[in-house]
């Protein structure tokens, strides 16, 4: 039996980064980032079977802070001055992970390996964000700007901070089969599903009548099957060479930021 614990963290700051798409260059914006990852793993081995149980915690924080004058766009020039309308914004994801994998070695000398396992994660997404809440000025061109002739808009909301749970479950399997001559065939399949809470969005009947779009629809993660196939070659006089050719299909995750805005 073997126990392994590891932890890593990072804290860094950026000046003038970009948050989303904007004609401005991110000036007058600072980003404060904090990351932490910790895990503990228990590995137990027997004659031809071993099991790995892992528990971990992950946290990622992005704090966008805007300074300087409010956003001012010049429509004809497709340019602007001031802080981008995308900032400020605060985003944080905290997640606990559980994973268990069972490894079985078979064959005359245990040259073949098969792994099956499952994983589960539960966490919370926190966000404080609204596009253009510092106000946006729009001018036709520099002449209108000089004359003070333009349009002002802003976003008014009772609250812009939200918090909700995020969950993900996965089942996976992997097979490595020794073909001979230093060649090993590999294949794997993973099924995963991500869930947002379906009872936190409220229906707005006025909005539905005006636009014909439901305002309380929760994104549904489809059944994601991720296959992986490949071949490995381990050769050379003392088997010092390892060449691998692997192809895989992976599915992206749902975007919690867009769900939080809804």
């Amino acid at each position: 039996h073997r126990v392994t614990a590891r932890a890593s963290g990072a804290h860094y700051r950026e000046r003038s980064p970009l948050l989303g798409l904007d004609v401005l260059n991110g000036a007058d914006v600072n980003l404060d980032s904090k990351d932490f990852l910790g895990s503990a793993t228990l590995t137990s081995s027997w004659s031809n079977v071993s099991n790995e149980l892992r528990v971990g915690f992950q946290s990622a924080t992005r704090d966008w802070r805007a300074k300087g004058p409010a956003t001012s766009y010049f429509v004809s020039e497709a340019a602007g001055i001031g802080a981008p309308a995308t900032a400020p914004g605060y985003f944080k994801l905290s997640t606990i992970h559980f994973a268990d994998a069972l490894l079985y070695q078979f064959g005359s000398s245990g040259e073949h390996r098969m792994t099956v396992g499952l994983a589960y994660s539960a966490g919370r997404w926190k966000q404080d964000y609204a596009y253009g809440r510092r106000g946006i000025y729009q001018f036709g061109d520099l002449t209108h700007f000089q004359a003070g002739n333009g349009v002002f808009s802003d976003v008014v909301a009772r609250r812009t901070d939200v918090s909700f749970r995020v969950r993900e479950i996965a089942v996976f399997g992997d097979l490595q089969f020794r073909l001979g001559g230093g060649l090993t065939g590999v294949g794997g399949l993973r099924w995963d599903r991500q869930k947002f809470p379906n009872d936190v969005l409220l229906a707005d009947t006025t909005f539905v009548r005006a636009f014909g779009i439901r305002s309380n629809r929760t994104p549904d993660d489809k059944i994601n099957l991720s296959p992986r196939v490949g071949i490995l070659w381990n050769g050379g006089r003392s088997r010092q060479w390892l060449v691998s050719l692997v192809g895989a299909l992976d599915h992206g995750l749902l975007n919690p930021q867009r769900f939080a805005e809804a």
Side-chain angles (χ1 to χ4, degrees):
H1 305 286
R2 184 175 70 250
V3 176
T4 305
R6 60 176 57 186
S8 61
H11 182 203
Y12 59 94
R13 293 184 175 92
E14 294 183 58
R15 291 183 178 180
S16 303
L18 295 177
L19 172 59
L21 300 176
D22 202 293
V23 299
L24 298 177
N25 60 4
D28 299 317
V29 175
N30 291 330
L31 171 61
D32 187 75
S33 302
K34 299 176 182 178
D35 294 286
F36 176 79
L37 175 64
S39 65
T41 305
L42 171 63
T43 305
S44 303
S45 302
W46 296 273
S47 57
N48 60 345
V49 177
S50 60
N51 187 81
E52 182 179 275
L53 175 63
R54 180 180 303 166
V55 180
F57 174 78
Q58 182 178 5
S59 174
T61 305
R62 299 293 182 268
D63 189 3
W64 300 78
R65 300 169 184 173
K67 303 184 299 180
T71 307
S72 298
Y73 292 122
F74 310 124
V75 180
S76 298
E77 287 82 2
I81 58 175
T86 54
Y90 178 85
F91 310 92
K92 182 176 182 179
L93 175 63
S94 303
T95 310
I96 298 178
H97 303 274
F98 302 90
D100 189 83
L102 184 67
L103 171 65
Y104 173 63
Q105 294 180 270
F106 61 99
S108 58
S109 58
E111 68 273 18
H112 311 308
R113 304 175 61 181
M114 182 175 64
T115 304
V116 294
L118 55 88
Y120 176 78
S121 64
R124 182 163 292 276
W125 176 268
K126 295 182 179 180
Q127 177 173 316
D128 189 354
Y129 179 75
Y131 179 84
R133 63 178 173 179
R134 298 179 74 239
I136 302 175
Y137 292 91
Q138 296 189 58
F139 303 94
D141 51 29
L142 289 174
T143 302
H144 289 86
F145 174 69
Q146 184 178 15
N149 185 8
V151 176
F152 174 79
S153 62
D154 64 351
V155 175
V156 179
R158 287 178 296 179
R159 57 181 303 178
T160 57
D161 60 305
V162 294
S163 176
F164 57 88
R165 293 175 290 105
V166 291
R167 293 176 295 169
E168 183 179 4
I169 187 172
V171 180
F172 55 89
D174 184 83
L175 176 64
Q176 295 188 14
F177 196 86
R178 186 73 59 84
L179 303 174
L183 293 177
T184 301
V186 298
L189 185 66
R190 176 186 174 95
W191 171 88
D192 61 89
R193 185 171 176 81
Q194 189 181 10
K195 292 284 292 182
F196 287 158
N198 55 10
D199 57 349
V200 295
L201 298 183
L202 302 178
D204 189 328
T205 56
T206 304
F207 182 85
V208 174
R209 286 196 301 266
F211 296 97
I213 302 174
R214 288 175 50 196
S215 60
N216 63 333
R217 177 183 174 273
T218 301
D220 186 22
D221 189 28
K222 304 299 182 182
I223 298 177
N224 297 321
L225 291 176
S226 303
R228 184 172 74 101
V229 294
I231 192 168
L232 310 178
W233 178 73
N234 192 201
R237 181 172 300 177
S238 57
R239 297 294 178 93
Q240 73 271 27
W241 290 96
L242 177 61
V243 180
S244 62
L245 178 63
V246 180
L249 176 65
D250 294 312
H251 297 272
L253 299 176
L254 297 176
N255 191 341
Q257 178 184 344
R258 297 179 180 177
F259 181 71
E261 291 182 22

